Amino acid sequence: MSEYEEGEYKVDGEKAREYLERERFVTETVNRVHSFLKYYFEAKYETYYRIGEELHRLYNQFEWRSRLRMCTEVYKQLASEYRDEFTPNVLRKCLYFYEYVERKENVWNNFRKLFLLCIEKEEGKVVQSEQFTITGFLEGELKNIEEEVMEIFNTIRKVYPDYMMIEVEDIVRDLEPVKDLLRKSLKRVLGYRILWEMFNENIPDYRLIEAVKIGSAYRDKKTLEGLRREYKRLGARKPKRVPPIFCIFCGSQLDWDDRNIDWIDTRAHLTCLKEYLVKAITSAIDMPIEDPKVLELLLEELISKYNIEEVIEEGEG
């Protein structure tokens, strides 16, 4: 007996209506999915995307125990000829693919806006004595061009790992090689087949520009082995999220990207450490130690290991 029929317990009318409404939406979703599946062999990856789009809409329409549970409900109503190919797990992957592409499309759109806005700024394509953007003027919402640039940049900055130091100029410079592609959506630039490969390797948002540079060259190629190798490389390089550390002498933050120095063992700028050791050797500071010769040996080792004299000269220059 169904839980919505009278029996050992009753379900209130509101819950019953919600159940029936959900079933109706599932049926409508399946009908639309069937219309996509007719073209599956002609446009395989776009079909994955369109199915994912319908599943995303359904998932946000009601409360579900999980994505897999929802996909199982959809699977139950699929025509038998599609069930072997589109299991609940495959349907869920289609949903994840759609969400992945939409997230990347949103990041790409922000890249496009930032680049084109900066170009407009450089070319003087602003109104009101070079204070407001043309787009804002046409849309009836005047906005200072500098404010709009920083607003978009702050949104983009969130997709980069905290340890990466970037500025507006860095992003604009990285986008220069693909500037001819910036007037198109990401789906038009790469196509669904390339986006599927990007999704499989889970390339992060902050590597999107690199992925577009590589993927656009494969847009019309039949074989994608080279692309897969490149995308695997991009997807495998996970961000190194580490807490900031500071020099124990001057208090300034140390640079994790300086791979020539083991900051775990030496939590200090080289110049600060050398200055401290020199002062200790010359008794300029009080540093109790049984054998002063140890300080001289430590200083010699520091200079030898890190070529500190050269570092100091570069800093002075």
Side-chain angles (χ1 to χ4, degrees), residues 243-254 256 263 266-269:
I245 56 175
F246 303 89
C247 175
I248 59 176
F249 297 110
C250 71
S252 299
Q253 185 171 338
L254 300 174
W256 274 110
W263 292 125
T266 313
R267 292 177 175 266
H269 291 114

Side-chain angles (χ1 to χ4, degrees), residues 38-94:
K38 295 176 183 178
Y39 307 101
Y40 173 62
F41 293 104
E42 299 174 22
K44 179 178 179 179
Y45 302 104
E46 183 175 357
T47 301
Y48 287 153
Y49 175 85
R50 298 301 175 193
I51 291 174
E53 184 177 20
E54 292 298 330
L55 294 174
H56 177 79
R57 184 181 295 114
L58 179 62
Y59 185 74
N60 285 285
Q61 196 74 32
F62 302 96
E63 286 189 16
W64 298 90
R65 190 173 301 173
S66 67
R67 285 178 169 81
L68 184 59
R69 181 63 178 269
M70 181 196 70
C71 292
T72 300
E73 294 301 315
V74 172
Y75 173 79
K76 290 176 182 177
Q77 294 194 33
L78 278 182
S80 57
E81 63 263 33
Y82 299 126
R83 288 190 176 183
D84 289 342
E85 189 74 33
F86 289 91
T87 64
N89 280 324
V90 172
L91 292 173
R92 182 174 59 171
K93 190 170 184 179
C94 291

Side-chain angles (χ1 to χ4, degrees), residues 2-17:
S2 168
E3 64 179 5
Y4 295 104
E5 296 176 356
E6 292 189 1
E8 296 181 0
Y9 63 95
K10 290 184 178 181
V11 175
D12 61 68
E14 184 65 30
K15 193 168 182 63
R17 281 193 294 274

Side-chain angles (χ1 to χ4, degrees), residues 157 161-165 206-207 238-242 257:
R157 183 67 186 87
D162 295 337
Y163 73 89
M164 293 183 70
M165 304 297 293
Y206 72 97
R207 297 209 184 281
K238 303 302 181 185
K240 179 176 61 177
R241 296 189 180 276
V242 290
D257 290 335

Side-chain angles (χ1 to χ4, degrees), residues 13-247:
E14 184 65 30
K15 193 168 182 63
R17 281 193 294 274
E18 180 184 337
Y19 174 81
L20 293 174
E21 185 76 357
R22 180 182 299 194
E23 284 295 296
R24 181 174 69 83
F25 271 86
V26 169
T27 301
E28 291 175 355
T29 297
V30 171
N31 289 337
R32 288 192 292 270
V33 166
H34 281 156
S35 69
F36 301 142
L37 291 175
K38 295 176 183 178
Y39 307 101
Y40 173 62
F41 293 104
E42 299 174 22
K44 179 178 179 179
Y45 302 104
E46 183 175 357
T47 301
Y48 287 153
Y49 175 85
R50 298 301 175 193
I51 291 174
E53 184 177 20
E54 292 298 330
L55 294 174
H56 177 79
R57 184 181 295 114
L58 179 62
Y59 185 74
N60 285 285
Q61 196 74 32
F62 302 96
E63 286 189 16
W64 298 90
R65 190 173 301 173
S66 67
R67 285 178 169 81
L68 184 59
R69 181 63 178 269
M70 181 196 70
C71 292
T72 300
E73 294 301 315
V74 172
Y75 173 79
K76 290 176 182 177
Q77 294 194 33
L78 278 182
S80 57
E81 63 263 33
Y82 299 126
R83 288 190 176 183
D84 289 342
E85 189 74 33
F86 289 91
T87 64
N89 280 324
V90 172
L91 292 173
R92 182 174 59 171
K93 190 170 184 179
C94 291
L95 172 56
Y96 284 143
F97 176 52
Y98 169 79
E99 292 174 344
Y100 179 87
V101 171
E102 288 306 292
R103 189 168 62 251
K104 292 294 181 289
E105 189 76 76
N106 184 56
V107 175
W108 179 247
N109 285 337
N110 282 323
F111 281 141
R112 295 168 65 192
K113 291 176 185 176
L114 183 67
F115 185 84
L116 296 176
L117 198 57
C118 289
I119 293 302
E120 285 184 354
K121 179 182 174 183
E122 290 178 5
E123 295 178 352
K125 294 180 179 179
V126 290
V127 297
Q128 298 290 334
S129 301
E130 300 187 354
Q131 292 181 356
F132 300 101
T133 63
I134 287 182
T135 303
F137 178 75
L138 294 176
E139 293 177 354
E141 182 182 352
L142 298 182
K143 186 179 292 185
N144 184 282
I145 191 167
E146 295 293 347
E147 292 178 355
E148 189 163 354
V149 166
M150 291 312 301
E151 183 179 305
I152 298 171
F153 171 73
N154 289 334
T155 301
I156 292 173
R157 183 67 186 87
K158 295 176 183 178
V159 308
Y160 285 83
D162 295 337
Y163 73 89
M164 293 183 70
M165 304 297 293
I166 61 167
E167 301 293 341
V168 173
E169 294 75 15
D170 299 325
I171 296 176
V172 173
R173 183 173 57 252
D174 289 343
L175 287 168
E176 186 67 30
V178 294
K179 62 181 181 181
D180 292 339
L181 305 175
L182 289 171
R183 297 190 181 278
K184 301 178 183 178
S185 68
L186 190 64
K187 291 186 280 288
R188 288 185 61 198
V189 169
L190 297 180
Y192 296 99
R193 186 176 68 143
I194 304 297
L195 287 167
W196 180 260
E197 298 297 334
M198 188 188 301
F199 163 69
N200 278 331
E201 296 301 337
N202 196 24
I203 294 176
D205 293 344
Y206 72 97
R207 297 209 184 281
L208 180 58
I209 299 175
E210 293 177 80
V212 170
K213 289 178 188 176
I214 296 168
S216 58
Y218 285 86
R219 182 71 168 80
D220 300 315
K221 290 186 178 181
K222 293 183 179 180
T223 58
L224 299 179
E225 288 307 313
L227 173 75
R228 292 190 182 106
R229 286 195 297 271
E230 290 293 310
Y231 274 3
K232 187 173 184 179
R233 175 181 61 82
L234 289 183
R237 296 187 322 196
K238 303 302 181 185
K240 179 176 61 177
R241 296 189 180 276
V242 290
I245 56 175
F246 303 89
C247 175

